[in-house]
Amino acid sequence: MSHLVRPVALLAILLFPFVLSAQSKFTISGAIKDKKTGEALIGATIKVADKPALGAASNEFGFYSLTLPTGAYKLVIGYVGYKEQEVSVSLDKSTEMNFALEVTDNELKSVTITSKVNNITSAQMGMDKLTVKEMNAIPVLFGEKDVMKTIQLLPGVQSVGDGNSGFYVRGGGADQNLILLDGAVVYNPSHLLGFFSTFNSDAIKDVTLYKGTAPAEFGGRLSSVLDVKMNDGNDQDYHVSGGIGLISSKINVEGPIVKDDGSFLISARRTYADVFLKLSNDTTIKKSRLYFYDLNTKLNYKLSKKDHLYLSGYFGQDDLGLGSLFGINWGNATGTLRWNHIISDKLFSNTSLIFSDYSYNINVNASGIDANIHSDIRDWNLKEELELFANPTNTIKFGISSIFHTITPGSITGSGIISSTQPDKQSWENAAYISDSWKVSTRLNIDYGIRLSSFSVLGGSDYYTLDANGNIKDTLHYGSGQIVETYVEPEPRVSGSYTLNEVSSIKAGYSRNAQYLHLISNSTTSNPTDKWVPSNNIIKPGVADQGSLGYFRSLKNGAYEFSVEGYYKYMQNQVDYKDGANVISNAAIEPELLFGIGRAYGLEFLFRKKVGKFTGWVSYTLSRSELQIQGINNDDWYASRQDRTHDLSVVGIYQLSPKWSLSADFVYYTGNAVSFPSGKYTVGGQTVFYYTERDGYRMPSYNRLDLSATVQLRKRKRFSSELNFSLYNAYGRENPYIITFQNDPNDPNKTQAVQTALFRWVPSISYNFKF
């Protein structure tokens, strides 16, 4: 890792002027929290009253630092949905000041998705923030409040399919989204084949989606970062909340370990469709399994005024089975151990040890075969992140990370079959980064930085060389721990905003990202058995360069917001499969793949109303996403699976009375690109369809209306409850999930297209409580 030391030396040179410039000033630092729960408030602001340009924001752990010249100041501390605090301070020495903010009385009068940063002045592009309170207002499938389905209503984000929690961002594939839970990678963020996400809303504090220029501390994916942070747990009082629905129930327990100094959180959820299967008279169905569960846990404890320890974990499992004949189960497990240390009133350290695991098992017991198929991907990640609040105009972040990847590509064992086991594939991914948020002037803000990443392919398994036709020419053997190949990629990032006036600004950004792990699938939707494969001597790392330009405007004193962003993304080393490829076998995957380039471009429009009894937003995306892969479609450009010309979402939320809240959303989008047969022929009396063009056709367009109503049943000091009614696909449109082809029963020379729809009307009801 010697090549990672140089950025640290460069950092010392860069920081020296900032340290010198601060020697005649003093610093106010501390934590900003929720008064009632003790939860750290992310992005809370502390500003000088008569000079709002002088200020700071709290980081993800609630820590802030503000350096000012000697003098008397009136400070204003604020956060969206909370009462502002004002405090006078005479600054003649560095001072620690902690703040606890109270929720405003009209917290629930109007709810919508609002950013906790000023979209006009912030240099960050393509970023959206969500809170659980905001998500609770959106009607979703089966009545489950869902992070993944809520972000699909934002511009530039597309649903993978009907009811599916998977998503595409700005023309990238589903595997090009980095999905984090308390810093741990979640490789398969879905339950029940995508109908639920792994994120239990009761355990979540903050959700941030970066679809443009992500900060330099994030890397490893080409399209987006979904950063999900769990609640820390209430360190003031004990609380229990939960919900009972038609298909699942959940419970959340939190409270102090030591008041003000430590807390715990336990949040669990389980579906119980399998309970109803036991009512069947059919023995096979009675023994079948159809459920998932997940468990979120977190402990945190303040070791001293400068040290805080966090331990969080997630455990989730799906189990689907038809009696003893067939079964598939898959699940994620993550763990994050963090140590926060305040090195000085300006320098904050976050050290993390992170574990992530995703695995699946398939069991088959039929026709004399008793077999098990297993695959696994496992990460150990050590990170050191530092944040320097150099002065009111510069906040610098820098750090390193080291990830050890182990992928079990698949083992097949059992009786009645030929067993096959491949050795684990191991790799080592390292990165160092530095970035600066620079307030150049009252009009100009710039975020800039660079990430230097490296990826070493390690021995211990077989690697190959291919001939001109893509067939295996030679097998290469490397010892365990021996380096097969190393890739190094610089990833610069820069974005800025220029304020035209008090209500409008223009923004521009550029970023480069590298991706070293790839998801190989030839299905139209994400499956739990899709393969993750690391880059190697044949499969090169993906690289994406993205440029973006936008205009942002606030209307009617902030009651309305409008924005438009345009982007263009060029992608190298894109992976697709050969015609007729078998990517789920246990054989070498490399001969089944083809490589090339990609491009995605589009315009994103967002208009939203933020205050009043009626709130909501309209988002529209006009875009293209294309690939050019050598060996596919005569080497011409063709539409990628996630290519959609039009994508429209309309969301409305109406506070009818203090007790009743109504909401609705409408979705329309162009059908996905798909490969349909161009003809057919007969072999041995069997019809065989043949395909001539990859993704040359379109699924029918998709549209849907969802409705929801929530009534407050009780609201007491120690107990509250509510009832939620929702209707998914209110006008019952049969949107196609898949289209298959068969001979017309009345005329075999003709072909029938058969459409399968998953959901027509899906009503649901759920009861939620808290005490």
Side-chain angles (χ1 to χ4, degrees):
M1 291 181 61
S2 61
H3 61 278
L4 299 181
V5 177
R6 292 178 183 175
V8 177
L10 175 62
L11 173 68
I13 298 172
L14 292 173
L15 300 187
F16 187 67
F18 294 118
V19 176
L20 289 180
S21 66
Q23 288 178 351
S24 60
K25 302 177 182 179
F26 297 103
T27 301
I28 306 168
S29 63
I32 305 177
K33 296 186 175 183
D34 182 301
K35 184 176 183 178
K36 186 176 180 181
T37 67
E39 288 279 352
L41 297 180
I42 305 170
T45 59
I46 177 168
K47 297 180 179 181
V48 177
D50 56 346
K51 296 179 180 179
L54 291 178
S58 58
N59 66 12
E60 61 181 288
F61 300 100
F63 178 80
Y64 78 92
S65 176
L66 178 61
T67 301
L68 297 168
T70 303
Y73 298 93
K74 178 180 284 188
L75 302 177
V76 180
I77 302 90
Y79 187 72
V80 174
Y82 285 72
K83 298 176 183 176
E84 284 189 346
Q85 278 190 23
E86 290 189 359
V87 60
S88 296
V89 58
S90 182
L91 193 61
D92 55 8
K93 63 179 180 179
S94 291
T95 305
E96 179 184 351
M97 298 184 72
N98 299 316
F99 300 99
L101 302 185
E102 294 183 81
V103 174
T104 55
D105 295 333
N106 62 345
E107 173 196 13
L108 298 178
K109 297 296 183 183
S110 60
V111 184
T112 188
I113 292 182
T114 56
S115 176
K116 295 181 184 64
V117 296
N118 188 326
N119 270 336
I120 304 301
T121 61
S122 170
Q124 188 68 56
M125 290 195 70
M127 182 185 75
D128 289 287
K129 273 186 171 288
L130 311 175
T131 67
V132 174
K133 292 171 184 175
E134 295 159 347
M135 289 184 290
N136 283 346
I138 309 299
V140 292
L141 181 63
F142 301 127
E144 280 285 331
K145 308 306 179 186
D146 199 310
V147 173
M148 310 286 275
K149 291 188 176 68
T150 303
I151 67 171
Q152 292 170 9
L153 300 171
L154 299 171
V157 184
Q158 304 166 342
S159 165
V160 167
D162 196 12
N164 201 293
S165 60
F167 62 99
Y168 305 125
V169 175
R170 290 188 172 180
D175 67 320
Q176 294 178 3
N177 304 312
L178 178 64
I179 300 172
L180 302 172
L181 179 62
D182 271 3
V185 176
V186 180
Y187 281 99
N188 187 347
S190 62
H191 287 303
L192 290 182
L193 303 177
F195 300 133
F196 293 86
S197 83
T198 56
F199 301 115
N200 183 349
S201 61
D202 286 350
I204 294 173
K205 172 167 63 176
D206 184 83
V207 179
T208 305
L209 175 68
Y210 299 97
K211 58 188 179 183
T213 306
E217 60 260 38
F218 298 110
R221 298 295 186 273
L222 299 186
S223 290
S224 76
V225 179
L226 182 64
D227 188 19
V228 181
K229 295 182 176 64
M230 288 171 52
N231 284 319
D232 297 330
N234 194 316
D235 67 5
Q236 300 296 306
D237 200 0
Y238 297 96
H239 288 282
V240 177
S241 62
I244 302 171
L246 294 178
I247 195 171
S248 68
S249 291
K250 54 188 179 180
I251 190 166
N252 187 79
V253 182
E254 58 182 329
I257 298 173
V258 176
K259 192 172 182 179
D260 294 321
D261 288 337
S263 62
F264 73 90
L265 169 75
I266 301 173
S267 188
R269 177 176 58 162
R270 192 191 192 277
T271 59
Y272 32 73
D274 55 317
V275 175
F276 300 103
L277 298 179
K278 297 186 183 300
L279 302 177
S280 173
N281 294 323
D282 188 310
T283 304
T284 301
I285 295 177
K286 195 171 185 177
K287 293 181 179 179
S288 294
R289 305 177 305 282
L290 177 61
Y291 72 90
F292 75 79
Y293 72 85
D294 47 37
L295 174 68
N296 296 78
T297 61
K298 193 164 188 178
L299 300 171
N300 78 92
Y301 187 73
K302 187 186 294 184
L303 301 174
S304 68
K305 291 181 66 176
K306 293 189 175 184
D307 297 277
H308 207 127
L309 203 62
Y310 300 83
L311 177 62
S312 62
Y314 168 81
F315 312 92
Q317 191 76 22
D318 283 71
D319 197 350
L320 307 179
L322 183 61
S324 60
L325 301 177
F326 174 82
I328 176 172
N329 62 78
W330 69 93
N332 297 275
T334 71
T336 303
L337 177 63
R338 293 182 186 270
W339 170 41
N340 290 168
H341 177 60
I342 301 174
I343 299 173
S344 72
D345 53 14
K346 290 187 176 184
L347 187 58
F348 183 90
S349 167
N350 176 43
T351 306
S352 304
L353 177 63
I354 303 169
F355 172 76
S356 178
D357 181 89
Y358 170 70
S359 63
Y360 71 79
N361 290 279
I362 301 174
N363 298 288
V364 179
N365 186 6
S367 303
I369 296 175
D370 185 4
N372 173 266
I373 302 172
H374 171 77
S375 184
D376 188 273
I377 178 168
R378 185 168 55 256
D379 293 346
W380 284 98
N381 183 6
L382 180 62
K383 296 173 66 176
E384 173 60 34
E385 303 169 297
L386 294 144
E387 189 169 9
L388 177 67
F389 298 84
N391 53 53
T393 59
N394 294 89
T395 300
I396 299 168
K397 293 183 179 181
F398 52 100
I400 58 173
S401 69
S402 184
I403 308 173
F404 189 81
H405 301 285
T406 302
I407 296 178
T408 302
S411 62
I412 303 174
T413 57
S415 59
I417 61 166
I418 299 175
S419 296
S420 173
T421 301
Q422 289 190 16
D424 292 345
K425 294 187 178 295
Q426 297 180 330
S427 51
W428 189 22
E429 183 176 352
N430 294 291
Y433 71 88
I434 181 170
S435 64
D436 180 21
S437 293
W438 181 21
K439 299 177 183 177
V440 183
S441 68
T442 55
R443 288 182 177 269
L444 180 62
N445 293 296
I446 298 176
D447 290 348
Y448 64 99
I450 187 168
R451 179 183 182 89
L452 181 66
S453 61
S454 70
F455 187 85
S456 296
V457 184
L458 303 180
S461 61
D462 291 339
Y463 294 91
Y464 311 96
T465 59
L466 305 181
D467 61 22
N469 297 317
N471 299 314
I472 294 177
K473 182 172 63 175
D474 193 13
T475 300
L476 309 175
H477 301 282
Y478 293 86
S480 179
Q482 187 177 356
I483 294 178
V484 179
E485 188 92 43
T486 295
Y487 298 97
V488 178
E489 190 66 45
E491 303 175 42
R493 320 287 175 77
V494 61
S495 62
S497 68
Y498 183 78
T499 304
L500 302 173
N501 50 48
E502 291 183 354
V503 297
S504 64
S505 67
I506 55 173
K507 299 185 184 183
Y510 164 78
S511 66
R512 166 170 280 210
N513 292 273
Q515 179 164 336
Y516 300 102
L517 301 180
H518 315 270
L519 187 65
I520 305 299
S521 170
N522 60 1
S523 63
T524 55
T525 59
S526 298
N527 291 319
T529 55
D530 291 342
K531 280 189 176 181
W532 284 94
V533 297
S535 296
N536 55 33
N537 59 315
I538 294 173
I539 304 173
K540 306 299 182 184
V543 178
D545 293 275
Q546 180 176 226
S548 53
L549 181 67
Y551 173 76
F552 298 78
R553 186 174 182 85
S554 178
L555 306 167
K556 298 280 187 180
N557 295 321
Y560 300 86
E561 281 186 353
F562 170 78
S563 66
V564 57
E565 286 191 50
Y567 66 89
Y568 183 90
K569 180 162 54 178
Y570 174 71
M571 295 168 282
Q572 304 174 55
N573 302 326
Q574 296 300 283
V575 183
D576 210 334
Y577 56 90
K578 292 180 178 178
D579 293 331
N582 181 5
V583 300
I584 63 172
S585 72
N586 209 32
I589 193 71
E590 289 85 351
E592 306 291 340
L593 304 178
L594 296 170
F595 308 95
I597 59 176
R599 62 188 181 193
Y601 48 94
L603 285 172
E604 301 169 358
F605 299 85
L606 179 64
F607 176 79
R608 55 185 163 195
K609 184 176 185 292
K610 299 169 57 178
V611 298
K613 287 190 173 183
F614 179 74
T615 57
W617 70 92
V618 178
S619 72
Y620 170 69
T621 305
L622 175 68
S623 63
R624 291 302 311 270
S625 176
E626 299 170 307
L627 294 171
Q628 187 180 51
I629 305 291
Q630 187 174 2
I632 297 178
N633 288 4
N634 299 316
D635 299 343
D636 291 333
W637 287 97
Y638 64 96
S640 65
R641 183 185 309 167
Q642 56 272 17
D643 178 65
R644 288 183 191 159
T645 308
H646 307 285
D647 200 313
L648 172 71
S649 297
V650 182
V651 176
I653 305 164
Y654 183 64
Q655 193 70 41
L656 183 65
S657 69
K659 284 193 172 184
W660 281 93
S661 175
L662 310 177
S663 63
D665 64 62
F666 173 77
V667 175
Y668 169 88
Y669 56 77
T670 304
N672 286 357
V674 66
S675 299
F676 285 154
S678 301
K680 63 181 180 181
Y681 54 91
T682 303
V683 177
Q686 299 293 320
T687 299
V688 178
F689 293 99
Y690 69 90
Y691 299 78
T692 59
E693 187 177 0
R694 182 76 59 90
D695 292 341
Y697 298 86
R698 290 278 172 185
M699 295 286 280
S701 63
Y702 180 99
N703 61 84
R704 187 190 79 240
L705 173 69
D706 305 327
L707 303 173
S708 177
T710 301
V711 57
Q712 185 82 49
L713 299 178
R714 288 188 178 182
K715 190 171 179 63
R716 303 287 188 267
K717 185 176 181 180
R718 299 294 299 179
F719 180 82
S720 64
S721 62
E722 65 178 26
L723 205 58
N724 174 265
F725 307 89
S726 66
L727 181 59
Y728 182 89
N729 198 13
Y731 50 77
R733 175 178 166 84
E734 295 185 357
N735 288 296
Y737 181 73
I738 191 172
I739 294 178
T740 57
F741 294 85
Q742 64 184 30
N743 290 332
D744 189 327
N746 300 318
D747 184 356
N749 293 320
K750 295 181 179 179
T751 301
Q752 281 186 342
V754 180
Q755 173 180 303
T756 301
L758 287 182
F759 306 110
R760 197 164 187 184
W761 298 284
V762 184
S764 60
I765 182 172
S766 59
Y767 171 77
N768 301 306
F769 61 88
K770 184 174 183 179
F771 59 87

